[in-house]
Amino acid sequence: MNKINRVAIVGGTHGNEFTGAFLVKKFQQFPEVIQKPSFETLTILGNPKAFEAGKRYIEKDLNRCFLTESLQNTNLSSYEDIRAKQIAGVLGAENKPNVDVVIDLHSTTANMGLSIILGNQDPFLLKLCAYLSDINPLVKVCYTIPEKGSNFLRSLNKLGFVIEVGAVAQGVLNAELFQKTEQLIYTILDYLEQYNRGNIPKINNLLALYKFTGTVDYPRNENGDIQGMIHPDIQFRDYEPLNPGDPLFLTLDGKAIAYEGTSTVYPIFINEAAYYEKGIAMLFTEKQLINPSS
Amino acid sequence: MNKINRVAIVGGTHGNEFTGAFLVKKFQQFPEVIQKPSFETLTILGNPKAFEAGKRYIEKDLNRCFLTESLQNTNLSSYEDIRAKQIAGVLGAENKPNVDVVIDLHSTTANMGLSIILGNQDPFLLKLCAYLSDINPLVKVCYTIPEKGSNFLRSLNKLGFVIEVGAVAQGVLNAELFQKTEQLIYTILDYLEQYNRGNIPKINNLLALYKFTGTVDYPRNENGDIQGMIHPDIQFRDYEPLNPGDPLFLTLDGKAIAYEGTSTVYPIFINEAAYYEKGIAMLFTEKQLINPSS
């Protein structure tokens, strides 16, 4: 791979995810903290109008507007469609990138710690993730939906990924999580600088990769109304093993509903506020140990 | 005081505060759990449209629409103004009530535990609160803004009060908090039943009452942009004493800002998401010990 010349940090792609939005605000106010000798770092506040309003989005979810066809469709004219085209104009497309790395900052009401979400298994990203999770146990690495034709902002770049931090409420700036995310970004920038110098650290440990296998909805009645909530035993326990028979939900009248699968899974995004409207109570993943150097 | 004949439980006055909204949903589905021999209990889902949309409100904050003048003003025609008139039609007004007690269920991103928020110091309410905080240390009691001319839903009734539970994110149903709030409501209904039988329990302990003294905004620059966050030392530490010189905020570039008052205060609603737009980082209170039987 070639030298890294430009890195983009995007925050506030969802306007009510304040950690990333305020980090970008800080980086724009104090640009020296993200400058490195061998590459340029640029910052983008993803959805300024939604951030101003304290909302996830104004008309539609910006982070679902980056399908190539959508970006080329001049009939799509919502605020977020227009904003997606502007952002893609700066960052370029996967086959014609203007930057070498894209870091998209998100936060979640689920207890995801410092999660890195990959849309592909590029060896460069796997090595970076192995390094980050090796030095900080709060860092977890997920591989979600294959990137081909993805509508996520991160899919604009082969080396695009999401940092998803939590648990934190929407519309709230939590200082501790702000600082942990900030440190993680500095570590990533340092790693990229070392890469440019041909000095990337060797990792001996295997990387735990949590691979998306499917989504689970809340229990609902015939009208679609939610009839149960995340069971207290698994609330805030993202990335922990869920075995067949373990409690999954608790109905409003106090009955436990068990996980009825046949194999152990590792739920993530448990009780994410923004996923209620999408019919998602949590995502299931399977855990794989991989050797990023092989 | 006369016998209690009707009690109203309102949930989802703010549509994205799911604890109260889903408790009302449960009570409407299983009405037997809130029925008592000596009085009737009715339930109201405060803002159904906002709950459906997962938002605090559609056009304006419903819980600021209950000023007597507003309820009588036929020119006010937003969804929430109309809804406030409907609710007031059911509950009556303070001087002409249709119910004897109003319990308005709210939730907060601040770590308020199980807070009871009073708008007046009616001896009946003080005795009830003394009992509740005596048997459950999670119960805290605040006295906020004098009720005279208040625009809150609870001000529709002399025995109106808010139960404010947290910390929980907006748009999230947390099972543990749901169950704790549910138990608190059952305890209140049991107390009212005992009152009607002339059996209210005697409380020997003093009641700790947290009295509102003022609000504090975030540090901002000349454009009004937030430049600092709640200091990690006080995040989630509602009701704990804050002494002169203690850290209050942390600026984006990492500098602590101290509390510069001259007396100890007890901050509440620390980092409530809905208060960012109101310019409120927290409320200050002073702690008083009172004898509810005197």
Side-chain angles (χ1 to χ4, degrees), chain B residues 115-179:
Chain B
S115 288
I116 296 182
I117 308 200
L118 303 177
N120 68 58
Q121 296 195 48
D122 187 283
F124 181 86
L125 290 181
L126 291 181
K127 281 180 197 166
L128 168 63
C129 289
Y131 172 71
L132 297 172
S133 60
D134 202 48
I135 63 171
N136 185 348
L138 260 185
V139 172
K140 303 283 182 193
V141 184
C142 318
Y143 170 61
T144 58
I145 301 162
E147 203 73 352
K148 199 76 179 172
S150 159
N151 48 10
F152 297 122
L153 186 148
R154 66 162 192 253
S155 64
L156 291 176
N157 199 282
K158 188 166 68 88
L159 301 187
F161 59 92
V162 161
I163 298 179
E164 183 81 63
V165 302
V168 62
Q170 295 176 344
V172 158
L173 184 56
N174 177 293
E176 192 185 336
L177 208 53
F178 177 94
Q179 291 181 313

Coordinates of all heavy atoms in Angstrom, one line a residue, chain B residues 115-179:
Chain B
S115 N -36.8 10.2 41.8 CA -37.0 11.5 42.4 C -38.5 11.9 42.4 O -39.2 11.6 41.4 CB -36.2 12.6 41.6 OG -34.8 12.5 41.9
I116 N -38.9 12.5 43.5 CA -40.3 13.0 43.5 C -40.1 14.6 43.5 O -39.4 15.1 44.3 CB -41.0 12.6 44.7 CG1 -41.2 11.1 44.6 CG2 -42.4 13.3 44.8 CD1 -42.0 10.4 45.7
I117 N -40.8 15.2 42.5 CA -40.6 16.6 42.4 C -41.9 17.3 42.7 O -43.0 17.1 42.1 CB -40.2 17.0 40.9 CG1 -39.0 16.1 40.6 CG2 -39.9 18.4 40.8 CD1 -38.1 16.6 39.5
L118 N -41.9 18.1 43.7 CA -43.0 18.8 44.2 C -43.0 20.2 43.8 O -42.0 20.9 43.6 CB -43.0 18.8 45.8 CG -43.0 17.5 46.5 CD1 -42.9 17.7 48.0 CD2 -44.2 16.6 46.1
G119 N -44.2 20.8 43.5 CA -44.4 22.2 43.2 C -45.0 23.0 44.3 O -45.1 24.2 44.3
N120 N -45.4 22.3 45.4 CA -45.8 22.9 46.6 C -45.5 22.1 47.8 O -45.0 20.9 47.6 CB -47.3 23.2 46.5 CG -48.2 22.0 46.6 OD1 -48.1 21.2 47.5 ND2 -49.0 21.7 45.6
Q121 N -45.7 22.6 49.0 CA -45.3 21.9 50.2 C -46.5 21.5 51.0 O -46.6 21.6 52.2 CB -44.3 22.7 51.0 CG -43.0 22.9 50.3 CD -41.9 23.4 51.2 OE1 -41.7 22.8 52.3 NE2 -41.2 24.4 50.8
D122 N -47.5 21.0 50.3 CA -48.7 20.5 50.9 C -48.4 19.5 52.0 O -47.6 18.5 51.7 CB -49.7 19.9 49.9 CG -51.0 19.6 50.5 OD1 -51.1 18.5 51.2 OD2 -52.0 20.3 50.3
P123 N -48.9 19.6 53.2 CA -48.5 18.6 54.3 C -48.8 17.2 53.9 O -48.0 16.3 54.3 CB -49.4 19.1 55.5 CG -49.7 20.5 55.2 CD -49.8 20.6 53.7
F124 N -49.8 16.9 53.2 CA -50.2 15.6 52.7 C -49.0 15.0 51.9 O -48.6 13.9 52.1 CB -51.5 15.5 52.0 CG -51.9 14.2 51.6 CD1 -52.6 13.3 52.4 CD2 -51.6 13.7 50.3 CE1 -53.0 12.1 52.0 CE2 -51.9 12.4 49.9 CZ -52.7 11.6 50.8
L125 N -48.6 15.8 50.9 CA -47.5 15.4 50.0 C -46.2 15.2 50.8 O -45.4 14.2 50.6 CB -47.3 16.4 48.9 CG -48.4 16.4 47.8 CD1 -48.0 17.5 46.8 CD2 -48.6 15.1 47.2
L126 N -45.9 16.1 51.7 CA -44.7 16.0 52.5 C -44.7 14.7 53.3 O -43.6 14.0 53.4 CB -44.5 17.2 53.4 CG -44.2 18.5 52.7 CD1 -44.0 19.6 53.7 CD2 -43.0 18.4 51.8
K127 N -45.8 14.3 53.9 CA -45.9 13.1 54.7 C -45.7 11.9 53.8 O -45.0 10.9 54.1 CB -47.2 13.0 55.4 CG -47.2 13.8 56.7 CD -48.6 13.7 57.4 CE -48.7 14.9 58.4 NZ -50.0 15.1 58.9
L128 N -46.3 11.9 52.6 CA -46.2 10.8 51.6 C -44.7 10.7 51.3 O -44.1 9.6 51.3 CB -47.0 11.1 50.4 CG -46.8 10.2 49.2 CD1 -47.1 8.7 49.5 CD2 -47.6 10.7 48.0
C129 N -44.1 11.8 50.9 CA -42.7 11.7 50.5 C -41.7 11.3 51.7 O -40.8 10.5 51.4 CB -42.2 13.1 50.1 SG -42.9 13.6 48.5
A130 N -42.0 11.7 52.9 CA -41.2 11.3 54.0 C -41.3 9.7 54.2 O -40.3 9.1 54.4 CB -41.7 11.9 55.3
Y131 N -42.5 9.2 54.0 CA -42.7 7.8 54.1 C -41.9 7.0 52.9 O -41.2 6.1 53.2 CB -44.2 7.4 53.9 CG -44.5 6.0 53.8 CD1 -44.3 5.1 54.9 CD2 -44.9 5.4 52.6 CE1 -44.6 3.7 54.8 CE2 -45.2 4.1 52.5 CZ -45.0 3.2 53.6 OH -45.2 1.9 53.5
L132 N -42.0 7.6 51.7 CA -41.4 6.9 50.6 C -39.9 6.9 50.7 O -39.2 5.9 50.4 CB -41.8 7.5 49.3 CG -43.3 7.5 48.9 CD1 -43.7 8.3 47.7 CD2 -43.8 6.0 48.7
S133 N -39.3 8.1 51.1 CA -37.9 8.1 51.2 C -37.4 7.4 52.4 O -36.2 7.0 52.5 CB -37.4 9.6 51.2 OG -37.9 10.3 52.3
D134 N -38.2 7.2 53.4 CA -37.9 6.5 54.6 C -37.7 5.0 54.3 O -36.8 4.3 54.8 CB -39.0 6.6 55.6 CG -38.5 6.4 57.1 OD1 -37.4 6.9 57.4 OD2 -39.1 5.6 57.8
I135 N -38.5 4.4 53.4 CA -38.5 3.0 53.2 C -37.6 2.7 52.0 O -37.2 1.5 51.7 CB -39.9 2.4 53.0 CG1 -40.6 2.9 51.7 CG2 -40.7 2.5 54.2 CD1 -41.9 2.2 51.4
N136 N -37.2 3.7 51.2 CA -36.4 3.4 50.0 C -35.4 4.5 49.8 O -35.7 5.6 49.4 CB -37.3 3.3 48.7 CG -36.5 2.9 47.5 OD1 -35.3 2.9 47.5 ND2 -37.2 2.5 46.4
P137 N -34.1 4.2 50.0 CA -33.1 5.3 49.9 C -32.9 5.9 48.5 O -32.3 6.9 48.4 CB -31.8 4.6 50.4 CG -32.0 3.1 50.3 CD -33.5 2.9 50.4
L138 N -33.4 5.2 47.5 CA -33.3 5.7 46.1 C -34.2 6.8 45.9 O -34.1 7.6 45.0 CB -33.6 4.6 45.1 CG -32.5 3.8 44.4 CD1 -33.1 2.9 43.4 CD2 -31.5 4.8 43.7
V139 N -35.2 7.0 46.8 CA -36.2 8.0 46.6 C -35.6 9.4 47.2 O -35.2 9.4 48.4 CB -37.5 7.7 47.4 CG1 -38.5 8.9 47.4 CG2 -38.2 6.5 46.7
K140 N -35.6 10.4 46.4 CA -35.2 11.7 46.8 C -36.4 12.7 46.5 O -37.2 12.4 45.6 CB -34.0 12.2 45.9 CG -32.8 11.2 46.0 CD -32.0 11.4 47.3 CE -30.8 10.5 47.3 NZ -30.2 10.4 48.6
V141 N -36.4 13.7 47.3 CA -37.5 14.7 47.1 C -37.1 16.1 46.9 O -36.2 16.6 47.6 CB -38.4 14.6 48.4 CG1 -39.6 15.5 48.2 CG2 -38.8 13.2 48.8
C142 N -37.6 16.7 45.8 CA -37.2 18.0 45.4 C -38.4 18.9 45.5 O -39.5 18.5 45.2 CB -36.6 18.1 44.0 SG -35.6 16.9 43.5
Y143 N -38.1 20.2 45.8 CA -39.2 21.2 45.7 C -38.6 22.2 44.7 O -37.6 22.9 45.0 CB -39.4 21.8 47.1 CG -40.2 23.0 47.1 CD1 -41.6 23.0 46.6 CD2 -39.7 24.3 47.5 CE1 -42.3 24.1 46.7 CE2 -40.5 25.4 47.6 CZ -41.8 25.3 47.1 OH -42.6 26.4 47.1
T144 N -39.3 22.3 43.5 CA -38.6 23.2 42.5 C -39.3 24.5 42.5 O -39.2 25.3 43.4 CB -38.7 22.5 41.1 OG1 -40.0 22.2 40.8 CG2 -37.8 21.2 41.1
I145 N -40.0 24.8 41.4 CA -40.5 26.2 41.2 C -41.9 26.3 41.8 O -42.7 25.5 41.7 CB -40.5 26.5 39.7 CG1 -39.1 26.3 39.1 CG2 -41.0 27.9 39.4 CD1 -39.1 26.1 37.6
P146 N -42.1 27.4 42.6 CA -43.4 27.6 43.2 C -44.5 27.5 42.1 O -44.4 27.9 41.0 CB -43.4 29.0 43.7 CG -41.9 29.3 44.0 CD -41.2 28.5 42.9
E147 N -45.6 26.8 42.5 CA -46.6 26.4 41.6 C -47.5 27.5 41.0 O -48.1 27.3 40.0 CB -47.5 25.4 42.4 CG -48.3 24.4 41.5 CD -47.3 23.3 41.0 OE1 -46.1 23.5 41.1 OE2 -47.8 22.4 40.4
K148 N -47.6 28.6 41.8 CA -48.4 29.7 41.4 C -48.2 30.1 39.9 O -47.2 30.6 39.5 CB -48.2 30.9 42.3 CG -49.3 31.9 42.3 CD -50.4 31.5 43.2 CE -51.5 32.5 43.2 NZ -52.7 32.0 43.9
G149 N -49.2 29.8 39.1 CA -49.1 30.2 37.7 C -48.1 29.3 36.9 O -47.6 29.6 35.9
S150 N -47.9 28.1 37.4 CA -46.9 27.2 36.8 C -47.6 26.6 35.5 O -48.8 26.5 35.4 CB -46.6 26.0 37.7 OG -46.1 24.9 37.0
N151 N -46.7 26.3 34.6 CA -47.2 25.7 33.3 C -47.0 24.2 33.2 O -47.1 23.6 32.2 CB -46.4 26.4 32.1 CG -44.9 26.5 32.3 OD1 -44.4 25.8 33.3 ND2 -44.2 27.2 31.5
F152 N -46.6 23.6 34.3 CA -46.5 22.1 34.4 C -47.8 21.4 34.5 O -48.7 21.9 35.1 CB -45.6 21.7 35.5 CG -44.2 22.2 35.5 CD1 -43.7 23.0 36.5 CD2 -43.4 22.0 34.4 CE1 -42.4 23.5 36.5 CE2 -42.1 22.5 34.3 CZ -41.6 23.3 35.4
L153 N -47.8 20.2 33.9 CA -49.0 19.3 34.1 C -49.4 19.1 35.5 O -50.6 19.2 35.9 CB -48.8 18.0 33.4 CG -50.0 17.0 33.2 CD1 -49.9 16.2 32.0 CD2 -50.1 16.1 34.4
R154 N -48.4 18.9 36.4 CA -48.6 18.6 37.8 C -49.4 19.7 38.5 O -50.0 19.5 39.5 CB -47.3 18.2 38.5 CG -46.4 19.4 38.6 CD -45.3 19.2 39.7 NE -44.7 20.5 40.0 CZ -43.4 20.8 39.6 NH1 -42.7 19.9 39.0 NH2 -42.9 22.0 39.8
S155 N -49.3 20.9 37.9 CA -49.9 22.1 38.6 C -51.4 22.1 38.4 O -52.1 22.9 39.0 CB -49.3 23.4 38.1 OG -49.6 23.5 36.7
L156 N -52.0 21.1 37.7 CA -53.4 21.0 37.5 C -54.0 20.6 38.9 O -55.3 20.7 39.0 CB -53.8 20.0 36.4 CG -53.5 20.4 35.0 CD1 -53.8 19.2 34.1 CD2 -54.2 21.7 34.6
N157 N -53.2 20.1 39.8 CA -53.8 19.6 41.0 C -52.9 19.9 42.2 O -51.7 19.9 42.1 CB -53.9 18.0 40.9 CG -54.9 17.5 41.9 OD1 -54.6 17.3 43.1 ND2 -56.1 17.2 41.4
K158 N -53.6 20.3 43.3 CA -52.9 20.6 44.5 C -52.0 19.4 45.0 O -50.9 19.6 45.5 CB -54.0 20.9 45.6 CG -53.4 21.4 46.9 CD -54.6 22.0 47.8 CE -55.5 20.9 48.3 NZ -55.1 20.3 49.6
L159 N -52.5 18.2 44.8 CA -51.8 17.0 45.1 C -51.2 16.4 43.8 O -51.2 15.2 43.5 CB -52.6 16.0 45.8 CG -53.2 16.4 47.1 CD1 -53.9 15.3 47.9 CD2 -52.2 17.1 48.1
G160 N -50.6 17.3 43.0 CA -50.0 16.8 41.7 C -48.5 16.8 42.0 O -47.9 17.7 42.6
F161 N -47.8 15.8 41.5 CA -46.3 15.7 41.6 C -45.7 14.9 40.5 O -46.5 14.2 39.8 CB -45.9 15.2 43.0 CG -46.4 13.8 43.3 CD1 -45.6 12.7 43.0 CD2 -47.6 13.6 43.9 CE1 -46.1 11.4 43.3 CE2 -48.1 12.4 44.2 CZ -47.3 11.3 43.9
V162 N -44.4 15.1 40.3 CA -43.7 14.3 39.2 C -42.9 13.2 39.8 O -42.3 13.4 40.9 CB -42.8 15.3 38.4 CG1 -41.7 14.6 37.7 CG2 -43.7 16.2 37.5
I163 N -42.8 12.1 39.2 CA -41.8 11.1 39.5 C -40.8 11.1 38.4 O -41.2 10.9 37.2 CB -42.4 9.7 39.7 CG1 -43.4 9.6 40.8 CG2 -41.3 8.7 39.9 CD1 -44.0 8.3 41.0
E164 N -39.6 11.4 38.7 CA -38.5 11.7 37.7 C -37.5 10.6 37.9 O -36.8 10.6 38.9 CB -38.0 13.1 37.8 CG -37.0 13.5 36.9 CD -37.6 14.0 35.6 OE1 -38.3 15.0 35.6 OE2 -37.3 13.4 34.5
V165 N -37.3 9.7 37.0 CA -36.4 8.6 37.2 C -35.2 8.6 36.2 O -35.3 9.0 35.1 CB -37.1 7.2 37.1 CG1 -38.2 7.2 38.1 CG2 -37.6 6.9 35.7
G166 N -34.0 8.1 36.7 CA -32.9 8.1 35.8 C -31.7 7.6 36.6 O -31.8 7.3 37.8
A167 N -30.5 7.4 35.9 CA -30.3 7.8 34.6 C -30.7 6.8 33.5 O -30.4 5.6 33.7 CB -28.7 8.0 34.4
V168 N -31.4 7.4 32.5 CA -31.7 6.5 31.4 C -31.8 7.4 30.1 O -32.2 8.6 30.2 CB -33.1 5.8 31.6 CG1 -34.2 6.8 31.7 CG2 -33.4 4.8 30.5
A169 N -31.3 6.9 29.0 CA -31.3 7.6 27.8 C -32.7 7.9 27.3 O -33.6 7.1 27.5 CB -30.5 6.9 26.7
Q170 N -32.9 9.0 26.6 CA -34.2 9.2 25.9 C -34.4 8.1 24.8 O -33.4 7.7 24.2 CB -34.1 10.6 25.2 CG -34.0 11.7 26.2 CD -33.9 13.1 25.5 OE1 -33.6 13.2 24.3 NE2 -34.2 14.1 26.2
G171 N -35.6 7.7 24.7 CA -35.9 6.7 23.6 C -35.5 5.3 23.9 O -35.4 4.5 23.0
V172 N -35.2 5.1 25.2 CA -34.8 3.7 25.7 C -35.7 3.3 26.8 O -36.0 4.1 27.7 CB -33.3 3.8 26.1 CG1 -32.9 2.7 27.0 CG2 -32.4 3.8 24.9
L173 N -36.0 2.0 26.8 CA -36.8 1.4 27.9 C -35.8 0.5 28.7 O -35.2 -0.4 28.1 CB -37.9 0.5 27.3 CG -38.9 -0.1 28.3 CD1 -39.5 0.9 29.2 CD2 -39.9 -0.9 27.5
N174 N -35.6 0.9 29.9 CA -34.6 0.2 30.8 C -35.4 -0.6 31.8 O -36.2 -0.1 32.6 CB -33.7 1.2 31.5 CG -32.7 0.5 32.4 OD1 -33.1 -0.1 33.4 ND2 -31.4 0.5 32.1
A175 N -35.3 -2.0 31.7 CA -36.1 -2.8 32.5 C -36.0 -2.6 34.0 O -37.0 -2.6 34.7 CB -35.8 -4.3 32.2
E176 N -34.8 -2.4 34.5 CA -34.5 -2.3 35.9 C -35.2 -1.0 36.4 O -35.9 -1.1 37.5 CB -33.0 -2.2 36.1 CG -32.7 -2.3 37.6 CD -31.2 -2.1 37.8 OE1 -30.4 -2.3 36.9 OE2 -30.8 -1.7 39.0
L177 N -35.1 0.1 35.7 CA -35.7 1.3 36.1 C -37.3 1.3 36.0 O -38.0 1.8 36.8 CB -35.2 2.5 35.3 CG -35.1 3.9 35.9 CD1 -34.5 3.9 37.3 CD2 -34.4 4.8 35.0
F178 N -37.7 0.6 34.9 CA -39.1 0.3 34.8 C -39.7 -0.4 36.0 O -40.7 0.0 36.6 CB -39.3 -0.5 33.5 CG -40.7 -0.9 33.2 CD1 -41.5 -0.2 32.3 CD2 -41.3 -2.1 33.7 CE1 -42.8 -0.6 32.0 CE2 -42.6 -2.5 33.4 CZ -43.4 -1.7 32.6
Q179 N -39.0 -1.4 36.4 CA -39.5 -2.2 37.6 C -39.5 -1.4 38.9 O -40.4 -1.5 39.7 CB -38.8 -3.5 37.7 CG -39.1 -4.4 36.6 CD -38.3 -5.8 36.7 OE1 -37.1 -5.8 36.9 NE2 -39.0 -6.9 36.5

